[in-house]
DNA sequence: CTGTTAGCGCCTTCAG
DNA sequence: CTGAAGGCGCTAACAG
């Protein structure tokens, strides 16, 4: 295996005995026409040499790359991988390739990636995941994005509409409110909740919405009945243990994400508390991978992959300049994890 | 929001009243020294202008990008997202950014991505996932990779060592063999299996290993007791239904992946077959997201994230030219989904 | 239809 | 330590 010098278009042109321009025209699908004869010669030469165009040179020359940047918090979290899958699908359909950034839930990394991806001159930039409540972080990201957009880039995000770009907004608050109502309708009167740190808007919204729903039935969700932890399975697990220790007397627990709910269920199982026998539990998101959990989890369904698709289309299909907002409603799905208290008095 | 022309290093230099060279030296961490005075001027100018270097121009000039390509089959499958997470972690540590390609399980897309990523002049290329048994596909990909490597790129894969590049090889066959032994030790004598199409080497290996293990105990796994489907949850679901219809009389079923096992458990539940009461079931991979399944799944544990880390290190930390192979053993983890037949006669 | 020739934005010798 | 200039590989006018 010889370490031959990288072959360039010039090499191909030389071997095919045509000009650089002609070679370029047949290699990249230019609209200009070329004689079948020459075209064949170029194609053959390219194949013989194992030529591959240099995307950097192409991007530089026509000042437009064919990559889109995607920034998510955690690729192992099904919430993000589902949305990412949607984004990838449409990028793919457009012949674009995706550069993926993972923040590991650190807001600073989000900004760092925005900047790296901007340097890569990506065609579009998509951010997925809760916005931090930090005003400083948000405005720094916004500044970065403004430069990006000003330079001709397109950007969108899936979360709260806090950035000056197109946004796909899951209706967290309304969804949680509906969930609370249905749970109340099931006969529950005392609730508890598992949430994430206040710094995460998504958790805040869902908890607020849940409270709204309870309030309609004049039910209060006391602060002592709310514990919090990281937005992960283990976070839910720990928060649930803490909640159990507090003995709130609740008959139903709301976890702000399905992933946390799963951790909570594990904690309850460990403590010998049966679900939904002793305690009901509900989540939010309707993660597909979790559909085989027993008991099946009551939750608020969000069309995750579809949200990714929408976000991608927003920035890839032409598009107006004004930051647009697409609201995505969540549907309550009642399953086995929440007990119907009415049928037993 | 004005659509200003993209600002270049030349703009920064002009504003800082220094030469292009000086500006370049302070922006990219060159080893050459620059007076603090001038340095500050450049930094300020860059900030004022909202300047971001053009990665394409940089890559072109120094012929070396700072991105690594990663190709997986399905981002929503925890097997891949875990490994990908490992890769991303080390890329991140090296200040590199990841371009992600998803094949949606189509071998042709793997080749297509190899070519696109080569065009992007990625520093390294990593393929994760079973190799197809198709000799044609494999050799086309190999050709592509040889050109890539010849041009100075580094490549690795996680799967079977079929490509002329560094490889992290999960010991599928040995792991499945050990699993079979332990299951036999539990008292099981009649088995069945859920596998994927023959075209997928990983499934082939695991099934073969399982057969090896049974053979040691002189137990046969008849073809009628083996059904197959896509390597997904739904594939396992469908394959399980088919298996149930065949009434094989098995007391234990082996699914070649945890994901398929989960689908199978759902099918069994639907048909009123209790696990492990009526039938035991075991998987392979030990997917973390599935750890809260009930009953907990017996499986063969593979250090997924670690495998991704190893693959990335193979191509990112210096490295010899010879294709190296790292074998990763799998550990059997007996849990609730497989019944111990001995304790009850 | 084909060839010539400027750049695209930046890095990097090589003088000063 | 700083500046001037060539070139990285390719595209896109512009002539022929």
């Amino acid at each position: 295996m010889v370490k031959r010098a990288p072959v360039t278009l010039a090499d191909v042109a030389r071997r095919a005995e045509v000009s650089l321009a002609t070679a370029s025209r047949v290699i990249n699908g230019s609209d200009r026409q070329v004689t079948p004869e020459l075209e064949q010669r170029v194609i053959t030469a390219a194949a013989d040499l194992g030529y591959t165009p240099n995307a950097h040179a192409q991007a530089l020359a026509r000042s437009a790359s064919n990559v889109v940047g995607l920034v998510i918090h955690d690729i192992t979290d099904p919430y993000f991988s589902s949305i990412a899958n949607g984004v990838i699908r449409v990028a793919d359909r457009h012949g674009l390739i995706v550069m993926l950034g993972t923040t590991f839930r650190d807001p600073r990394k989000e900004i760092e990636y925005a900047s790296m991806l901007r340097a890569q001159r990506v065609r579009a930039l998509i951010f997925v995941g809760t916005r931090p409540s930090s005003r400083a972080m948000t405005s720094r990201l916004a500044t970065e994005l403004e430069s990006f957009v000003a330079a001709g880039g397109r950007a969108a995000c899936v979360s709260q509409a806090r950035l000056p770009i197109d946004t796909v907004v899951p209706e967290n608050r309304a969804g949680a409110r509906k969930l609370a109502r249905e749970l109340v309708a099931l006969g529950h009167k005392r609730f508890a909740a598992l949430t994430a740190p206040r710094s995460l808007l998504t958790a805040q919204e869902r908890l607020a919405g849940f409270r709204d729903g309870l309030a309609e039935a004049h039910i209060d969700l006391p602060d002592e009945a709310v514990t919090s932890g990281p937005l992960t399975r283990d976070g839910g697990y720990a928060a649930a243990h803490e909640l159990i220790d507090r003995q709130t007397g609740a008959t139903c627990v709301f976890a702000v994400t399905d992933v946390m709910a799963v951790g909570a269920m594990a904690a309850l199982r460990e403590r010998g508390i049966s679900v939904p026998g002793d305690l009901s539990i509900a989540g939010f998101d309707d993660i597909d991978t979790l559909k085989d959990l027993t008991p099946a989890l009551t939750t608020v369904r969000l069309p995750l992959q579809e949200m990714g698709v929408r976000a991608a289309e927003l920035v890839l299909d032409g598009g107006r300049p004004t930051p647009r907002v697409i609201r995505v409603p969540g549907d309550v799905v009642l399953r086995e994890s929440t007990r119907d208290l009415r049928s037993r008095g």
Side-chain angles (χ1 to χ4, degrees), chain A residues 200-252:
Chain A
L200 302 177
L201 258 23
T202 293
Q204 263 189 224
E205 296 179 344
R206 292 180 181 179
L207 186 58
F210 196 73
R211 280 206 154 99
D212 289 347
L214 295 185
E216 292 175 8
H218 308 292
I219 294 177
D220 181 49
L221 180 63
D223 287 339
E224 314 85 69
V226 179
T227 58
S228 71
L231 223 43
T232 62
R233 182 267 180 201
D234 292 343
Y237 176 85
H241 270 301
E242 190 182 338
L243 193 62
I244 297 168
D245 292 338
R246 292 195 191 168
Q247 312 234 120
T248 65
T251 60
C252 181

Side-chain angles (χ1 to χ4, degrees), chain A residues 64-70 97-99 114 116-126 148 152-154:
Chain A
S65 75
N66 61 319
V67 3
V68 359
L70 173 61
I97 172 169
V98 172
M99 285 193 102
M116 292 180 79
L117 261 12
R118 184 150 82 91
Q120 295 291 335
R121 295 299 186 271
V122 294
R123 247 240 229 324
L125 214 36
I126 298 174
F148 177 72
R154 309 265 313 129

Side-chain angles (χ1 to χ4, degrees), chain A residues 253-287:
Chain A
V253 182
F254 167 56
V256 294
T257 69
D258 280 3
V259 170
M260 284 189 84
V262 170
M265 285 176 65
L268 296 177
R269 198 176 310 126
E270 272 183 18
R271 303 286 278 261
I273 299 172
S274 89
V275 174
D278 301 326
L279 186 61
S280 289
I281 183 164
F284 201 116
D285 285 338
D286 196 27
I287 298 298

Side-chain angles (χ1 to χ4, degrees), chain A residues 44-180:
Chain A
T44 308
D48 290 351
L49 267 33
Y51 170 77
T52 295
N54 183 323
H56 294 304
Q58 288 186 159
L60 195 53
R62 63 177 157 217
S63 61
S65 75
N66 61 319
V67 3
V68 359
L70 173 61
V71 180
I72 62 181
H73 294 330
D74 177 4
I75 190 179
T76 64
D77 183 326
Y79 177 80
F80 294 103
S81 56
S82 298
I83 295 178
N85 199 44
V87 171
I88 292 173
R89 277 213 139 78
V90 355
D92 218 68
R93 195 197 307 146
H94 286 252
L96 267 24
I97 172 169
V98 172
M99 285 193 102
L100 180 71
T102 292
T103 68
F104 295 109
R105 301 182 184 284
D106 177 349
R108 286 168 306 184
K109 293 222 60 170
E110 201 161 37
I111 294 169
E112 186 183 325
Y113 269 115
S115 154
M116 292 180 79
L117 261 12
R118 184 150 82 91
Q120 295 291 335
R121 295 299 186 271
V122 294
R123 247 240 229 324
L125 214 36
I126 298 174
F127 293 84
V128 179
T130 183
R131 295 295 89 231
S133 56
S134 158
R135 198 155 163 40
M137 285 299 155
T138 302
S139 84
R140 282 177 53 194
L141 218 206
T143 303
E144 193 71 37
L145 291 178
E146 267 157 10
S147 301
F148 177 72
V149 171
R154 309 265 313 129
C157 82
V158 176
S159 60
Q160 289 72 224
R162 285 281 200 286
L163 263 13
I165 57 181
D166 292 339
T167 307
V168 171
V169 183
E171 297 191 326
N172 291 316
R173 188 151 186 168
R177 175 151 40 79
K178 278 191 289 185
L179 175 64

